[in-house]
Structure formats: structure tokens, C-alpha cells
Amino acid sequence: MHFLYPMCCFNSLLNLTCQNQNNYIQDHLKSALFDAFCLTADVFNRPLCSLISLFFHFFSSFQMQFMLLFSRQGKLRLQKWYVPLSDKEKKKITRELVQTVLARKPKMCSFLEWRDLKIVYKRYASLYFCCAIEDQDNELITLEIIHRYVELLDKYFGSVCELDIIFNFEKAYFILDEFLLGGEAQETSKKNVLKAIEQADLLQEEAETPRSVLEEIGLT
Amino acid sequence: MPAPIRLRELIRTIRTARTQAEEREMIQKECAAIRSSFREEDNTYRCRNVAKLLYMHMLGYPAHFGQLECLKLIASQKFTDKRIGYLGAMLLLDERQDVHLLMTNCIKNDLNHSTQYVQGLALCTLGCMGSSEMCRDLAGEVEKLLKTSNSYLRKKAALCAVHVIRKVPELMEMFLPATKNLLSEKNHGVLHTSVVLLTEMCERSPDMLAHFRKLVPQLVRILKNLIMSGYSPEHDVSGISDPFLQVRILRLLRILGKSDDDSSEAMNDILAQVATNTETSKNVGNAILYETVLTIMDIKSESGLRVLAINILGRFLLNNDKNIRYVALTSLLKTVQTDHNAVQRHRSTIVDCLKDLDVSIKRRAMELSFALVNGNNIRGMMKELLYFLDSCDPEFKADCASGVFLAAEKYAPSKRWHIDTIMRVLTTAGSYVRDDSVPNLIQLITNSVEMHAYTVQRLYKALLDDISQQPLVQVASWCIGEYGDLLVSGQCEEEEPIQVTEDEVLDVLEGLLVSNLSTPVTRGYALTAIMKLSTRFSSVNRIKKVVSIYGSSIDVELQQRAVEYNALFKKYDHMRPALLERMPIMEKTATNGPTEIVQTNGETEPSVVESKHLPPVTHSCISQSFDYLLLLTLCLGIPPMTAYNKNGLKIDFTFERANPNPNIAVITIHASNSTEADMTDFVFQAAVPKTFQLQLLSPSSNVVPALNQGTVTQVIRVLNPQKQQLRMRIKLTYTLKGSAVQDLAEVNNFPPQSWQ
């Protein structure tokens, strides 16, 4: 009996969210559902869990929801979110996921079920690359996506290491944004991605150079 | 005002902080500097400041005061500013923020910028986090860019369109014209994103799906080219040409071929080709094979192809790479329903996966193993599963135990085997067994009449070893209470009977009552068991003593039971043997198994999923007061009586004791009519002697249906403070076949319990 009442409540919440066109209210409802989901996921109340997991189907069924890069000490080095969540939710997800992934032993497989998502992670040197994909997605190709991103970073920075990503985080983002868009690969050729970044960097330099020259002369 | 420190400088400085407090201090100082810089509307260093802010945001510090600055950067003409501005927007300005919409105009302008990299930034930002309003406003621009010949922009526009459609599904139609020649592109980037766009549209709209079915031949051609073409350095990954595109095409084919014979037919060949020609030594090849298998299983493929797919999965199971094994188990779980026999062939490999070190693999293997159990392999499979239950992590034990019970119930080759299996589960994973298993097990044991002696003996021995596992203890107590006489008399046929005395049994049960390990529910079971033994054992005095002690127990439940049982000894001793009799065989109710474990029997009989779900309330009632309720309703129940029976009208009285006032008897009259016609305008009136008070509540109806098809009920409340013998005069009026009937009668045969 104890879980039936919240179930009915959440049913109504879900219905409200479906019916309500107002995005602001939708987001509040989604947020409430999400918080509730976190609560019930902790208590491992499966029926309630699966009901609320329907919430995640507001996002499509094939999509990378987010990508996180973090060190072995759990420090976040990059976070790319492809779904709208509040800062609080993002922090909570990050914290829990980092803990879960760091607790995995080295010989374990790269996939784990976490809440309603599939997590694909791989460790490269001191960095963990972690993607959250949805139920219908292909985990093995996601591993290839992660690998491609690492290759791009490697080519760009020349034998990339964690420090490169720490000190040039904005460049890591730029490269990611040339490779993925909305969670999907936009360019499957390594060469083309790097070329685009190169050109954009050149553009940036051209924009900056005049100023620095003027500054050197002493004119602002 | 000195120039704000550079980004790298800040990062270096912050990294030197040795404590969290030190870091916080540095950050606060820098944030203050940045804030004042923002206030001064400094254009030169805005970019640098925002970049620093974004770094600090990643460390977890608040950065909302930088939101407007990001907007200013986006509006700037400098490319550097725009780059950082858009990055900041994607990190800080998601659709939940109030200022999010202010970006719209800037993005609109940038979508039409002369530099493609600026357009790219705008498309990327819109495609990653544009809100529905923004998408609505800018969909037209995206659609325009979708038709451009610039492949750099076209590919981004396609993915941006995907996002727009996800946010505002009604806008899907407007992108339809632009999709016309997307697949004739040579550029892989555009091809890939186009396939993603088409997939999204087909998934969302059955009309679109029907419309795009005609693309199947073209998709097959593209895929064929990818496989057959020679080495292409630009898109090669470990010898495979553009695996990302291949996977995406396979996925689109899956959606197009589902439930459509013609499309499925058209893709049969290419699927077979991909399945047989793809290199499997590296992950990338297996990724493609995996997608192929998923496609084959989903479309209407011919049986040969399906067998091929399952064999691929079988090979995956033997792969050294854990990831591949995991993926195989997941897929097999999906296909076990439809292709049961094919999956059965890989049963031994699947069972081996139970021993894998990886938690995810073990779980999948367990679920799949349960799905594969059938009448033929039950003994072997159960051995493996019980071994797994012994050694697995606690998180699995509950599900595994439930699965074992379900499987055992369906396919048990013999009753003895069934009981043995249950015993094994209770002793190895007893504390993880679900609460609702206890009543199910009790029912099972009750119904296995010939195994009672064996069961109680084994349970007794288990109790001697370990009383910490509550479900085991509860079932054992219940059994000992029921069949304790068989235990003491040493009647076991199945194995060597043990010598045990009544006192030893009572010692064990009393031990449960006092043990700290026992939960209140368990104590309830133990007390009831002891009580039941009063009719089966001869040491009644000992039992009486125990029961009376618990009459003052702090635990309300125990106290109530003990008090009632005491009453049973004192006032209702004549009823005690009848009440405490052996339980009869119970009617078989459906078991309430875990929802995620699917049971099939894989044989020629149609597979019926037996897990009917009884509401949890019933089960909790049963588990808590299983036999207790039965005992007490009988105890306090007063037998019904017939008050009047004349001319086809029969009136029965049933009784209840009204709580809290024991002086009130609640009588329900049941009027039934055995004549051929209905009795209409039926009125029941009653009168009682002066010392009583009567209250008549309204009847259920005033028509008594003919031929005993229904009854009219009415409640009478009689207050009898002086506890005198109850007598009643009743008057009945009704109309039968048009004529009015009236009758008076005296009711004197009330049972003594109704007024005592």
C-alpha cells in the first residue's frame, strides 16, 4: 500500500507535465519528477522507479544525454550537457556518477546501468571519459565516439595529457563542439574536424593580433 | 586599473591552493575582481573574465553573474568574443534561465553571418540547448541552411533541425522539402547527420516513416559502397570505412523495415553481407555487427538470417572482451522470447557467464538464465543458479531467490526436489527472500501433504543451526506449529528421522521469542506456533505458562495474541482443538513474482506468463496475521440462524459483536424468496422486550427477487445492557403476485453467544 499513493501522485504529475504546454511549468514539473526519481532510485523502489523513468522519455530514445570528463580524484575537467537540467541536478548527477564510476574495478566492463540510463565510460591515462546514453543506443559505437574524441584531442595537443585539458579547457570544448552537436556526431572524418578547428583558431588569432600589436606600441 | 590576470595564470594559481578553504578564498577574490570589471563595462577583457568565470564554474562555484556578459560577448563582432560567449551560453544560459531568450536575436544574426565558423557557432549553440521558443523563432533559418551547398553548414543544420524537432515536434513538416536530396550528398558528415535527421523524423511520425520507406534502396546502396569500397584514409577506423555512418544507416534501416515486408526483403542481402564480412577483431567491427543483429531481430527477416544473428551473439558470448559479452547478453535477453530455441543452444555459455567477475554481466546472465529454464533443463539449471545464489553479491540475492521460487514452482520435477530447493534458498539467502515469499511457501508446503514430515524435520534442523534469517525462521515456526506432532513422533520417510522431544521443540520456539535477532513478525509466528502445539503436544501446562507471560508483553501485537490465546485456554477451551486443527489444503493463488524476470517454458505449449499481480495489501495481511485472523474470526464468530421460514420467504440472521460496546449485538437479516415471483414492497419490522433497545437501519431494497436470485439485507442493532435472553417479535409485509401478505412471528432461538 505504501508505494501506491506516491505512484498515483507521480502519475498525475506526469499527466500534468504531458498536458501542460507552458515550458516553465513543464520544467518545474520535470524538476519535481527528477527529484522524486532521485529519491526513489535511492530507496530502490522499482515500480516507482520505472514509472518515473518514463520521465526520461521526454527526451528522445536515441540520444547522448551528457558527457563528463573527470580525474581519478573525481575532479571535473569537462561537462557537456545535452539535456536541460538545473545546476543542482547537474551537480547531483555528477557527484553520484563520479562516485559510481570511480568505484568500478579495472577489469570490469565499460558499461553500467545507472538509474534509467546506460553509462559508457573509459579511462585514458588519468582521465575518465563518461557518456550517458539512452536505452536504445549502441554502447559499442559510443565507445568508438569516445575514442574518436580522444584521438582528436591527441592530434590537436600533440600527445595530450590531463594538464592540456586543464589549462586549455575551452579548446577541449571547441573540439568537442566540432565533433558532436546535440549529442550526435556531426563529422565522421578526423581530418575535417581538425581542419575546422585549425581554421577557427586562425580566425581567432587574426582577431586578436591587431590589438596586441597596438598594445605593444603603447596605443590602446 | 591593472589588466585582469590571464586565464592560464588563474588556473595555475588556483591549482597551488593546498586546501579547499584556500581555493575558495582565491576564487572569491578573483570573482570580486571580475565583478567590478563587469560593472565597468570593460570590453577589452570581458572575454578573458568570462573564460575565467567558466573555469571557476567547472570547479563548482556560482557563475550566474556572468550570464549577461556572455550575451554581450555573443553580440560582439570579434570572433574570439563570440567563441567564448557561445561557450559560456552553453554552460550558463540553458533554457531554464530567464535571460536565455535574449540570445535569440544574436543567434539569428549569426546564422546569417558571412563567416561560416560564426554560423557554425550559432548552429551548434541552438542545436545543443535552444529552448522551444527559440527553436520556433529560428526554425526558418535552420531550414534555409539545411538547403545550402556548404557541407560544413549543412551537416550542422541537419543536427540542429533534429533538436528543433525534438523540442517542437509540430515543426517537423517544414523540414520535409529540404530532406529531398540529402542522401545524394557525397560528404560523409552531411550523410551521417542526414541519416540522423531522417531517423528522428521516422521515429516521431508514422506518416514520415511511410514516406521515407522509399529511401531503403538508396540506403542499401550507400551501405554497400561503404563495405565494398577500398581503403579510404579519411574515414577509416581499423580497416572499416566510416563505422559511425554504417551504424546509423543500419539503425535507420531497422526503423524502416520494422513491420514492413517489402522493405525487410530489400535489406536482407545487405544485412547478411554485413553480418558475414565485418572484421570482428576490434571493437569497431563488433559495434557494427551488434547494430546489424539488432536490426535483423527487429525487422521481418527470414529465419536463416535470424539464426545467423543469434549465432553472432553466441560468438560474442565467447569473446574475451567483456563489453562484447555484456552486449551479447543484453541482446539475447531481448530475443529470448521470440527465438527461444535458438538461444537455448547457447545456454551453457550463458550459464558460465554467471561466474563472471563483472556485476553487470552477472546480472544479465542471471536474468537470461531464468528466461531459459524449462522442464527439460530444470535440474541442471537450478544447480547452477543455486550455486550462483550462494556466491553472488547481496544486490542479486533477492531477485535470484524470487526467480528460483518461480522456476521451481513451474517446473519442479518432484515435490521432494521442490521442498529441497526451497530449503536451500532459505538457508543460503534466507534474509534476502522477499516478504511475500513466506505466505507462498507456506501455501506450497501445506499443499504437499506427503512431504510434511520431511519438511518440518528439515526446517527444524535448519533452525537449530541459524535463527538469524527471518523468512526461514517464519516458515519454520509455522511448520513446526502445524506439524510438530510429526516431528516428535519421528515419522519421516524421506530421510533418517531425528529424535526430538516436545520440550526441545518448545525450547527452540521459546528461544525465537526471546532472541534479539527475531523481528516482531517472527515473534508473532513463534507464539502462534507454540499455541498450536497445545493441541498436538502433551505439555500443555508449559505452553499455558508461556502464553500467559506474553500477555503482558510490551509488543502490542504479541500482547494481543497472548491475551486472545489465554482466553482460548480459559473461556473457549472447548473450541480450542477445532480452532487449532491442521490447515486444510489451500486454493492455489497466482504467485507474485518479480516483474523483470520473464518466464517461458520454450516447449510446444503456448507460453503463458503466470505472474498475476495480487495487490500488496492482501499479502501483507496474510504474512502478518496468516493463521491468527482465521483463528480469531472463528473464535468470536457466532453461528448464523434461521429466524423465519414460511411460504417461500426465508429470513436468516447473522451476528457481529459491535466494537467498542460489547452490549450491542449487530444482527444482519438476509431475506430470500424461493417462490416463482418477486416479493415487492417488502417491509421487515421487529419489536423487542422493554429491557432492550432496538435500532433498525434501512434495508438494501424492498424487492426480494424470486427463485433465490438475491437477498434483501437489513441491519438491526440491539442494545442489551442487562444481558437478558434475547427475544424478538417480527412482522413481515410484502406483495406477492398482486396480493398483499402480512405475517407475524416470534423469534426465540437466538444462540446464547448473541446476548451473553
Side-chain angles (χ1 to χ4, degrees):
Chain A
M1 187 90 113
H2 46 280
F3 68 78
L4 286 175
Y5 292 140
M7 254 172 104
C8 296
C9 284
F10 290 125
N11 231 327
S12 336
L13 261 180
L14 259 177
N15 284 332
L16 269 175
T17 321
C18 282
Q19 293 161 18
N20 205 307
Q21 292 302 321
N22 183 327
N23 282 318
Y24 183 70
I25 295 183
Q26 269 230 5
D27 292 334
H28 268 274
L29 288 170
K30 279 188 210 173
S31 175
L33 278 172
F34 180 81
D35 286 336
F37 180 78
C38 294
L39 272 173
T40 54
D42 294 336
V43 169
F44 204 76
N45 188 334
R46 281 206 82 97
L48 199 43
C49 243
S50 15
L51 177 69
I52 295 175
S53 73
L54 287 176
F55 154 78
F56 280 114
H57 290 288
F58 284 118
F59 313 124
S60 66
S61 57
F62 282 117
Q63 196 199 0
M64 186 187 297
Q65 291 209 359
F66 55 84
M67 183 191 281
L68 302 173
L69 264 69
F70 50 89
S71 70
R72 270 185 302 176
Q73 287 75 41
K75 284 214 103 118
L76 199 60
R77 298 298 178 207
L78 190 142
Q79 49 173 337
K80 189 75 189 179
W81 298 85
Y82 294 111
V83 289
L85 293 167
S86 74
D87 247 1
K88 191 173 103 174
E89 287 156 357
K90 287 182 193 167
K91 283 207 170 113
K92 185 173 173 131
I93 293 178
T94 308
R95 197 173 48 237
E96 288 185 25
L97 195 52
V98 167
Q99 246 174 13
T100 311
V101 172
L102 287 176
R104 302 272 287 180
K105 302 192 196 71
K107 291 283 188 193
M108 296 176 106
C109 80
S110 295
F111 314 128
L112 61 110
E113 293 102 39
W114 184 79
R115 307 225 176 141
D116 196 42
L117 298 169
K118 295 204 273 205
I119 304 294
V120 179
Y121 74 93
K122 192 149 181 204
R123 202 184 110 196
Y124 288 85
S126 59
L127 269 181
Y128 282 89
F129 287 70
C130 191
C131 288
I133 57 176
E134 290 182 1
D135 200 46
Q136 303 292 322
D137 282 327
N138 180 331
E139 297 98 320
L140 298 178
I141 205 74
T142 310
L143 272 177
E144 290 300 316
I145 294 213
I146 293 176
H147 191 74
R148 173 58 64 90
Y149 181 47
V150 172
E151 285 182 321
L152 288 167
L153 289 170
D154 198 47
K155 210 50 192 279
Y156 182 82
F157 288 110
S159 241
V160 68
C161 63
E162 192 184 342
L163 277 176
D164 290 319
I165 300 189
I166 295 171
F167 280 94
N168 300 288
F169 71 93
E170 83 277 15
K171 302 240 169 64
Y173 274 109
F174 296 152
I175 296 172
L176 185 62
D177 287 336
E178 275 301 326
F179 174 43
L180 300 178
L181 202 159
E184 302 282 356
Q186 55 179 288
E187 180 57 69
T188 55
S189 152
K190 233 189 308 191
K191 191 179 85 183
N192 287 349
V193 176
L194 291 167
K195 203 162 66 180
I197 292 286
E198 219 177 300
Q199 301 281 40
D201 282 347
L202 263 168
L203 210 59
Q204 184 169 332
E205 270 177 48
E206 283 168 21
E208 285 180 348
T209 322
R211 178 163 60 88
S212 54
V213 165
L214 285 172
E215 266 179 61
E216 276 176 44
I217 301 175
L219 302 166
T220 40
Chain B
M1 170 90 191
I5 67 171
R6 292 176 184 276
L7 171 65
R8 320 255 177 265
E9 196 57 52
L10 177 69
I11 298 177
R12 208 167 292 128
T13 315
I14 292 179
R15 280 172 64 79
T16 61
R18 268 163 299 172
T19 63
Q20 185 77 353
E22 216 180 312
E23 182 185 278
R24 214 174 309 135
E25 209 182 298
M26 289 177 189
I27 301 238
Q28 270 172 5
K29 199 167 122 205
E30 186 56 38
C31 276
I34 293 177
R35 276 184 137 116
S36 45
S37 186
F38 284 164
R39 261 197 300 269
E40 289 171 16
E41 299 279 343
D42 188 331
N43 287 340
T44 339
Y45 296 113
R46 185 177 285 127
C47 180
R48 186 185 290 183
N49 285 328
V50 169
K52 287 188 285 185
L53 199 57
L54 292 179
Y55 177 73
M56 296 189 284
H57 177 252
M58 184 144 64
L59 292 177
Y61 296 91
H64 47 272
F65 57 91
Q67 286 176 1
L68 279 172
E69 304 300 315
C70 291
L71 286 174
K72 291 179 196 161
L73 282 175
I74 292 173
S76 156
Q77 288 312 308
K78 273 169 59 183
F79 183 66
T80 320
D81 284 355
K82 282 190 189 286
R83 240 184 165 186
I84 296 289
Y86 277 116
L87 177 61
M90 283 194 272
L91 288 173
L92 303 178
L93 275 174
D94 66 36
E95 61 184 57
R96 294 155 149 268
Q97 309 306 326
D98 303 322
V99 292
H100 175 85
L101 269 179
L102 295 176
M103 275 199 289
T104 315
N105 215 30
C106 286
I107 295 184
K108 187 171 191 163
N109 291 335
D110 284 340
L111 283 174
N112 293 307
H113 204 274
S114 48
T115 315
Q116 70 174 14
Y117 296 105
V118 174
Q119 289 173 294
L121 285 175
L123 278 169
C124 183
T125 308
L126 181 60
C128 283
M129 41 83 83
S131 64
S132 323
E133 283 101 350
M134 207 186 277
C135 288
R136 240 183 265 269
D137 288 337
L138 300 172
E141 305 295 327
V142 176
E143 199 258 342
K144 224 165 51 186
L145 287 170
L146 192 52
K147 297 194 279 217
T148 176
S149 53
N150 180 337
S151 51
Y152 177 78
L153 292 175
R154 208 170 183 204
K155 71 188 187 200
K156 290 182 193 272
L159 288 181
C160 202
V162 170
H163 180 82
V164 168
I165 292 173
R166 280 180 186 157
K167 282 297 198 184
V168 193
E170 309 91 70
L171 291 176
M172 188 168 24
E173 301 286 323
M174 79 183 275
F175 293 107
L176 189 53
T179 62
K180 221 182 214 154
N181 52 1
L182 274 178
L183 288 186
S184 17
E185 264 275 357
K186 290 276 174 271
N187 179 295
H188 279 223
V190 179
L191 265 179
H192 185 271
T193 58
S194 306
V195 173
V196 174
L197 176 59
L198 292 170
T199 310
E200 186 71 28
M201 290 169 103
C202 290
E203 276 200 303
R204 286 189 179 259
S205 156
D207 291 333
M208 291 286 182
L209 179 61
H211 172 82
F212 285 124
R213 279 225 173 87
K214 60 178 192 272
L215 292 175
V216 170
Q218 204 172 358
L219 288 166
V220 169
R221 232 180 0 255
I222 298 173
L223 192 52
K224 200 173 193 131
N225 282 336
L226 284 174
I227 302 171
M228 305 299 269
S229 67
Y231 176 72
S232 150
E234 199 173 328
H235 299 109
D236 180 88
V237 180
S238 304
I240 296 182
S241 192
D242 207 338
F244 303 107
L245 183 57
Q246 286 195 35
V247 163
R248 272 323 213 156
I249 292 180
L250 284 164
R251 197 181 292 180
L252 182 55
L253 285 176
R254 174 151 94 242
I255 292 168
L256 293 173
K258 202 169 186 160
S259 42
D260 186 81
D261 290 321
D262 293 329
S263 306
S264 302
E265 166 107 31
M267 50 179 92
N268 253 313
D269 284 342
I270 191 67
L271 290 174
Q273 209 174 354
V274 176
T276 42
N277 287 350
T278 310
E279 211 16 82
T280 58
S281 54
K282 291 249 170 98
N283 178 64
V284 61
N286 289 320
I288 295 176
L289 274 181
Y290 178 40
E291 196 73 38
T292 314
V293 165
L294 290 177
T295 303
I296 292 175
M297 299 316 291
D298 246 9
I299 65 171
K300 291 181 170 268
S301 46
E302 41 182 63
S303 59
L305 203 54
R306 292 181 88 85
V307 171
L308 179 61
I310 297 207
N311 288 343
I312 292 177
L313 291 178
R315 276 207 310 277
F316 273 8
L317 279 180
L318 299 167
N319 197 306
N320 285 328
D321 189 341
K322 257 185 251 310
N323 297 332
I324 311 280
R325 289 209 297 276
Y326 174 87
V327 142
L329 287 169
T330 315
S331 319
L332 283 170
L333 196 56
K334 287 190 211 154
T335 63
V336 75
Q337 292 284 63
T338 43
D339 296 83
H340 191 96
N341 291 329
V343 181
Q344 279 280 4
R345 268 184 236 127
H346 302 282
R347 194 179 64 241
S348 49
T349 327
I350 293 169
V351 166
D352 281 338
C353 289
L354 285 172
K355 306 194 182 81
D356 203 295
L357 294 164
D358 187 301
V359 162
S360 316
I361 291 183
K362 274 205 275 230
R363 175 169 283 284
R364 289 271 183 268
M366 179 184 84
E367 288 173 4
L368 198 48
S369 301
F370 278 122
L372 288 176
V373 169
N374 63 25
N376 293 330
N377 57 34
I378 178 77
R379 283 189 194 265
M381 287 295 276
M382 201 50 83
K383 214 163 61 178
E384 295 288 343
L385 288 165
L386 286 172
Y387 181 72
F388 174 69
L389 184 62
D390 276 342
S391 51
C392 68
D393 298 328
E395 57 187 284
F396 291 121
K397 292 215 188 206
D399 287 335
C400 191
S402 306
V404 168
F405 286 148
L406 258 168
E409 198 171 314
K410 279 184 93 162
Y411 304 113
S414 74
K415 286 247 158 93
R416 159 107 192 237
W417 181 93
H418 197 170
I419 304 275
D420 281 341
T421 307
I422 292 174
M423 287 294 308
R424 178 85 184 268
V425 174
L426 285 179
T427 45
T428 52
S431 24
Y432 300 97
V433 161
R434 291 214 169 86
D435 289 341
D436 55 9
S437 313
V438 172
N440 289 336
L441 292 175
I442 288 177
Q443 185 182 43
L444 174 70
I445 292 171
T446 311
N447 292 351
S448 324
V449 177
E450 65 277 15
M451 303 296 301
H452 285 169
Y454 172 70
T455 311
V456 70
Q457 183 164 298
R458 286 213 57 190
L459 283 169
Y460 178 76
K461 284 201 274 193
L463 266 193
L464 291 176
D465 278 331
D466 173 20
I467 60 167
S468 63
Q469 305 192 83
Q470 299 307 295
L472 169 64
V473 174
Q474 286 167 13
V475 174
S477 320
W478 190 92
C479 278
I480 294 174
E482 279 291 305
Y483 314 120
D485 48 328
L486 297 176
L487 185 60
V488 224
S489 61
Q491 282 180 31
C492 185
E493 286 172 2
E494 300 279 340
E495 64 174 24
E496 190 66 38
I498 56 172
Q499 309 287 11
V500 74
T501 65
E502 292 184 0
D503 278 319
E504 284 171 337
V505 175
L506 289 171
D507 283 339
V508 168
L509 288 175
E510 281 187 53
L512 293 176
L513 279 173
V514 299
S515 166
N516 286 330
L517 296 166
S518 300
T519 62
V521 171
T522 307
R523 289 206 179 94
Y525 271 93
L527 189 61
T528 306
I530 292 177
M531 187 60 194
K532 282 194 219 169
L533 290 174
S534 69
T535 52
R536 296 160 175 66
F537 282 2
S538 51
S539 33
V540 185
N541 286 325
R542 177 170 175 182
I543 293 174
K544 270 195 196 164
K545 241 196 296 193
V546 173
V547 169
S548 64
I549 291 173
Y550 280 88
S552 42
S553 162
I554 307 175
D555 182 335
V556 176
E557 174 74 28
L558 272 186
Q559 190 192 105
Q560 183 169 7
R561 286 183 190 223
V563 164
E564 304 287 2
Y565 295 156
N566 258 331
L568 204 54
F569 275 124
K570 295 200 171 69
K571 267 171 103 173
Y572 301 101
D573 205 41
H574 54 283
M575 294 174 74
R576 190 164 49 88
L579 285 172
L580 300 177
E581 219 174 45
R582 270 254 216 287
M583 284 292 184
I585 295 185
M586 289 174 235
E587 219 170 81
K588 195 88 173 81
T589 54
T591 49
N592 196 355
T595 49
E596 62 268 10
I597 294 184
V598 179
Q599 292 294 310
T600 58
N601 61 18
E603 291 167 325
T604 50
E605 297 140 52
S607 53
V608 174
V609 181
E610 260 190 48
S611 47
K612 282 201 292 233
H613 297 279
L614 297 175
V617 179
T618 323
H619 276 262
S620 63
C621 274
I622 291 175
S623 64
Q624 275 187 26
S625 45
F626 192 53
D627 45 355
Y628 178 60
L629 267 180
L630 284 165
L631 278 182
L632 286 180
T633 42
L634 279 179
C635 206
L636 298 174
I638 299 163
M641 57 172 270
T642 304
Y644 177 92
N645 194 350
K646 221 157 92 170
N647 299 333
L649 176 63
K650 181 153 97 98
I651 301 197
D652 290 321
F653 282 10
T654 55
F655 301 91
E656 274 166 55
R657 187 69 75 191
N659 286 323
N661 191 341
N663 291 332
I664 296 180
V666 178
I667 304 171
T668 309
I669 70 146
H670 304 262
S672 56
N673 165 14
S674 59
T675 68
E676 285 161 18
D678 290 342
M679 293 175 178
T680 55
D681 301 322
F682 177 78
V683 176
F684 173 90
Q685 288 164 304
V688 286
K690 283 207 187 75
T691 49
F692 298 84
Q693 276 179 43
L694 187 81
Q695 185 190 14
L696 207 55
L697 303 178
S698 29
S700 61
S701 123
N702 57 3
V703 176
V704 192
L707 298 169
N708 293 324
Q709 278 169 30
T711 57
V712 168
T713 55
Q714 192 165 5
V715 174
I716 312 170
R717 294 162 67 94
V718 181
L719 178 62
N720 181 6
Q722 293 177 22
K723 297 252 193 262
Q724 294 199 347
Q725 183 177 6
L726 184 56
R727 290 177 299 148
M728 197 185 274
R729 193 171 286 170
I730 60 177
K731 181 174 168 187
L732 306 154
T733 45
Y734 56 89
T735 306
L736 179 66
K737 292 184 195 159
S739 48
V741 180
Q742 192 179 313
D743 199 9
L744 287 168
E746 284 234 3
V747 186
N748 287 320
N749 55 334
F750 284 98
Q753 300 99 311
S754 62
W755 46 268
Q756 267 176 353

